[in-house]
């Protein structure tokens, strides 16, 4: 959900839109300026099913591979690869790679000019997705050559993934208690580090900030006092309103007094028990989130039991909150029960008010943990829920079979659902619509949330027929086939990991491609 446009920028856009006859930017003299990355062409409607969710509606022939008709494109090995990438890579890098390929097979055409996609988008995606190709012994597709078919920003390129720019919201909160100040200092250090490293061109930080909205609240309790139990403090009301206004996905509250990461529930499922293991339905995910912080923290991984937090060493320096000590009214429990957000609690050390000279060392201990934790917001799935007309469905419920905890979509229909690796059955439903069910596979090595969109049909309008054989997944079904209740599902030929041929000369997927086309895609072979 993009932030509102500044008034000045909005005015410029309105004025520009009122001036007819220019599909591109105007030069300082007001004349229409065609970017170097645009070539003259005859635009036609985009009709490729695999590319139907691209950010544009017109393309041209011949395309960048010199295919001269729809029939030639659809029969090509390149197009077949795009249609099954989600299965080959088990959901990784999709639909990003598919849309990147569509920018080559069905190039963007506007006002009689062809626009080329941006090179830096291709290079960034290759950096992330190359390991997925290596894992199945497949070469990087030649038509995704970032230098041959893509161009620079200063040449007027466009972003083929612009429709996917849905960024998850993360919040980090410090100084919850007035005498626990280390968290405030850590977040100030973090803000300085993120800004300086972004400007210096640090690829990791630029990628993180370009794909994530990070909210830092260094001091939640600046006055350092607590109000009587019968009264809700003003800062508490403000935080509750904040959490219910912004669709946060992930959060951490930073405390002091020990060295451990705890996760909900904090309140025992039996109120009379002061210490009792009380897991949420998302126990596996919360443990992954907690370990993302603790496992890269040098002091939390110190094997000495005599150190601060040493009594948690056998637990890996993480613990269920209620199993440590039970208390009611905690922020982690509130986040989980009343919002879509998953929050952990980080105890930064046994000294609640460390001296100034200790702060930088404390920052060094927590820097990688904070970055690693924020990056975990991209675990699981994301997507948009719309009706059959493409209108976003607000407050649609996203359920996962076996996990009794639903999340809801934001006003723009978008959602993020943190999930551990494995096979999940995901259901989207809303009042007045038939529910849609999808099977999702999340590999252990997956570092980017897989996109799973849902199109809800009015009750009584769901699909009735099932096409047997290989399912070529549509643009809104990147991670697995969708099925309504009662529908059967056929095993997909690409789901099973086939063994190489007897002489070991070809990978397991080779026979699939050679059976569908007379053109043998030897460019997919690494050797």
């Amino acid at each position: 959900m993009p932030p509102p446009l500044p008034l000045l920028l909005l005015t410029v856009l309105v004025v520009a839109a009122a001036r007819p006859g220019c599909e591109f930017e105007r030069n300082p003299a007001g004349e229409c300026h065609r970017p170097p990355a645009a070539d003259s062409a005859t635009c036609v409607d985009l009709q490729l099913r695999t590319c139907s969710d691209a950010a544009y509606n017109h393309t041209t022939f011949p395309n960048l591979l010199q295919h001269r008709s729809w029939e030639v494109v659809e029969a090509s090995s390149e197009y077949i690869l795009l249609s099954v990438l989600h299965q080959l890579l088990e959901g990784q890098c999709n639909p990003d790679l598919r849309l990147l390929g569509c920018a080559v097979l069905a190039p963007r055409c506007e006002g009689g000019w062809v626009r080329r996609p941006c090179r830096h988008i291709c290079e960034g995606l290759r950096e992330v997705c190359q390991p997925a190709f290596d894992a199945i012994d497949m070469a990087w597709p030649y038509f995704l050559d970032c230098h041959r078919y893509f161009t620079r920003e200063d040449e007027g390129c466009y972003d083929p993934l612009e429709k996917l720019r849905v960024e998850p919201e993360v919040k980090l909160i410090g100084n919850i208690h007035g005498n626990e100040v280390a968290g405030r200092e850590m977040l100030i250090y973090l803000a300085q580090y993120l800004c300086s490293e972004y400007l210096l061109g640090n690829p990791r930080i630029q990628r993180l900030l370009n794909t994530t909205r990070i909210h830092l609240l260094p001091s939640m309790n600046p006055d350092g006092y607590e109000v009587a139990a019968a009264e809700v403090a003003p800062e508490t009301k403000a935080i509750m309103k904040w959490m219910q206004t912004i669709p946060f996905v992930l959060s951490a509250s930073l405390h002091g007094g020990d060295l451990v990461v705890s996760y909900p529930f904090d309140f025992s499922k039996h109120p009379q028990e002061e210490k009792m293991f009380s897991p949420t339905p998302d126990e596996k995910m919360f443990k992954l989130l907690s370990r993302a912080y603790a496992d890269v923290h040098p002091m939390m991984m110190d094997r000495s039991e005599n150190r601060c937090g040493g009594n948690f060493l056998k637990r890996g320096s993480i613990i269920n909150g209620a199993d440590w000590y039970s208390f009611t009214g905690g922020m982690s429990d509130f986040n989980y029960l009343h919002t879509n957000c998953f929050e952990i609690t980080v105890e930064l050390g046994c000294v609640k008010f460390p001296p100034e000279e200790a702060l930088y060392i404390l920052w060094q201990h927590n820097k990688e943990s904070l970055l690693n934790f924020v990056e975990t917001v991209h675990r699981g799935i994301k997507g948009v829920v719309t009706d059959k007309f493409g209108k976003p469905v607000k407050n649609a419920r996203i359920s996962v079979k076996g996990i009794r905890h639903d999340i809801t979509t934001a006003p723009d229909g978008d959602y993020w659902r943190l999930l551990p690796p494995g096979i999940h059955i995901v259901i989207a439903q809303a009042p007045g619509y038939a529910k849609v069910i999808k099977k999702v596979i999340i590999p252990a090595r997956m570092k980017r949330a897989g996109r799973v969109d849902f199109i809800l049909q009015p009750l009584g309008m769901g699909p009735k027929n099932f096409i047997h054989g290989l399912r070529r997944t549509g643009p809104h079904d990147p991670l697995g086939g969708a099925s309504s209740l009662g529908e059967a599902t056929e095993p997909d030929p690409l789901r099973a990991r086939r063994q190489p041929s007897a002489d070991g000369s070809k990978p397991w997927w080779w026979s699939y491609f050679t059976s569908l086309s007379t053109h043998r895609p030897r460019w997919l072979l690494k050797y």
Side-chain angles (χ1 to χ4, degrees):
M1 292 175 292
L5 287 171
L7 180 59
L8 178 60
L9 176 58
L10 188 59
T11 303
V12 171
L13 291 177
V14 171
V15 172
R19 304 178 66 179
C22 184
E23 295 287 338
F24 305 108
E25 298 177 355
R26 294 179 182 270
N27 62 20
E31 300 168 333
C32 190
H33 172 68
R34 175 174 61 88
D39 302 311
S40 61
T42 301
C43 299
V44 298
D45 290 340
L46 177 57
Q47 298 177 8
L48 289 176
R49 179 170 177 259
T50 294
C51 302
S52 63
D53 58 338
Y56 50 93
N57 299 316
H58 297 93
T59 186
T60 190
F61 290 104
N63 63 15
L64 300 184
L65 303 183
Q66 298 304 307
H67 297 152
R68 297 187 175 275
S69 68
W70 297 119
E71 293 77 15
V72 174
V73 173
E74 292 178 334
S76 68
S77 300
E78 294 87 352
Y79 184 77
I80 293 173
L81 175 65
L82 289 186
S83 68
V84 296
L85 264 179
H86 65 288
Q87 296 162 311
L88 282 168
L89 304 183
E90 294 187 335
Q92 295 190 79
C93 298
N94 266 291
D96 308 54
L97 276 176
R98 177 172 55 78
L99 291 177
L100 196 71
C102 287
V104 176
L105 292 178
R108 185 171 188 162
C109 189
E110 294 177 346
W113 300 98
V114 173
R115 301 291 300 278
R116 292 216 177 199
C118 292
R119 183 173 297 160
H120 75 276
I121 300 294
C122 177
E123 291 172 339
L125 201 56
R126 179 165 186 172
E127 180 184 354
V128 173
C129 301
Q130 182 69 63
F133 282 87
D134 293 340
I136 62 171
D137 204 20
M138 179 179 284
W140 184 259
Y142 81 93
F143 63 95
L144 298 183
D145 185 323
C146 301
H147 291 276
R148 184 175 180 183
Y149 299 108
F150 300 78
T151 192
R152 303 191 309 268
E153 287 185 90
D154 59 4
E155 294 180 332
C157 68
Y158 77 96
D159 180 1
L161 310 183
E162 59 185 303
K163 288 185 67 174
L164 304 182
R165 301 305 180 201
V166 180
E167 300 172 357
E169 313 267 1
V170 181
K171 59 183 169 72
L172 302 174
I173 304 176
N175 201 191
I176 289 87
H177 299 140
N179 64 337
E180 298 176 5
V181 299
R184 177 178 63 189
E185 302 301 321
M186 294 305 99
L187 295 186
I188 293 173
Y189 269 114
L190 178 62
Q192 294 172 333
Y193 178 80
L194 292 176
C195 291
S196 61
E197 289 298 306
Y198 188 94
L199 295 176
L200 289 172
N202 184 321
R204 180 188 185 189
I205 301 305
Q206 289 187 337
R207 183 164 53 247
L208 179 62
L209 295 182
N210 288 340
T211 60
T212 317
R213 292 182 183 174
I214 303 174
H215 303 248
L216 303 179
L217 180 59
S219 186
M220 173 181 162
N221 186 12
D223 296 329
Y225 66 85
E226 294 184 2
V227 185
E231 182 183 348
V232 179
E235 58 264 34
T236 303
K237 289 183 179 179
I239 291 296
M240 292 171 67
K241 181 179 179 180
W242 184 45
M243 289 190 292
Q244 293 177 321
T245 301
I246 298 176
F248 290 111
V249 179
L250 185 64
S251 175
S253 60
L254 308 183
H255 292 255
D258 218 314
L259 190 63
V260 68
V261 179
S262 70
Y263 59 89
F265 287 119
D266 287 323
F267 186 49
S268 173
K269 58 184 178 181
H270 292 296
Q272 302 304 318
E273 295 289 342
E274 294 183 359
K275 292 185 180 182
M276 185 174 190
F277 178 60
S278 303
T280 69
D282 284 283
E283 166 74 6
K284 288 183 179 179
M285 192 65 223
F286 271 114
K287 291 182 76 172
L288 282 176
L289 296 173
S290 301
R291 285 175 178 153
Y293 200 101
D295 286 358
V296 293
H297 192 290
M299 298 308 296
M300 289 186 183
M301 289 296 100
D302 189 321
R303 306 307 298 174
S304 172
E305 294 187 1
N306 296 322
R307 63 166 173 81
C308 171
N311 52 315
F312 300 106
L313 183 59
K314 292 181 180 179
R315 299 173 180 261
S317 292
I318 68 172
I319 190 171
N320 171 258
D323 201 18
W324 183 13
Y325 65 91
S326 175
F327 69 95
T328 184
M331 289 210 317
S332 294
D333 288 5
F334 180 87
N335 274 271
Y336 187 72
L337 294 174
H338 298 286
T339 76
N340 291 342
C341 188
F342 286 33
E343 180 173 288
I344 64 169
T345 300
V346 180
E347 298 285 344
L348 295 169
C350 293
V351 181
K352 292 188 176 184
F353 212 112
E356 180 181 353
E357 59 269 18
L359 292 178
Y360 184 72
I361 296 176
L362 191 62
W363 158 244
Q364 290 297 318
H365 289 166
N366 287 276
K367 178 178 71 174
E368 181 59 29
S369 293
L370 287 166
L371 295 175
N372 198 46
F373 174 74
V374 172
E375 288 171 335
T376 60
V377 75
H378 295 280
R379 299 289 295 268
I381 58 174
K382 64 181 178 181
V384 178
V385 180
T386 61
D387 62 17
K388 65 177 183 179
F389 302 106
K391 182 180 178 181
V393 179
K394 177 184 177 181
N395 290 327
R397 287 171 52 204
I398 305 296
S399 308
V400 181
K401 186 176 181 180
I403 302 178
R404 298 184 62 183
H405 180 75
D406 299 343
I407 63 167
T408 56
T409 56
D412 290 338
D414 57 305
Y415 76 91
W416 289 75
R417 207 333 174 163
L418 295 174
L419 286 172
I423 300 175
H424 301 279
I425 305 299
V426 183
I427 306 105
Q429 54 192 315
Y433 297 93
K435 64 175 63 175
V436 176
I437 303 174
K438 295 192 177 187
K439 180 181 178 181
V440 174
I441 299 177
I442 302 179
R445 63 182 180 274
M446 194 169 184
K447 295 182 179 180
R448 297 174 59 139
R451 182 147 181 147
V452 184
D453 293 340
F454 292 90
I455 301 177
L456 301 186
Q457 300 287 343
L459 287 173
M461 297 288 290
K464 297 180 180 179
N465 299 321
F466 179 79
I467 301 176
H468 293 277
L470 176 64
R471 245 188 353 255
R472 284 196 184 178
T473 306
H476 296 285
D477 186 14
L479 291 185
S483 59
S484 296
L485 288 177
E487 282 191 323
T489 55
E490 288 287 319
D492 197 306
L494 288 178
R495 286 295 183 200
R497 282 288 185 261
R498 300 176 184 173
Q499 298 299 317
S501 56
D503 60 1
S505 59
K506 297 291 188 295
W508 56 269
W509 41 261
W510 178 252
S511 60
Y512 173 76
F513 284 96
T514 56
S515 69
L516 292 181
S517 174
T518 56
H519 305 288
R520 293 176 174 250
R522 298 191 179 278
W523 41 270
L524 286 174
L525 298 174
K526 298 179 72 173
Y527 27 72

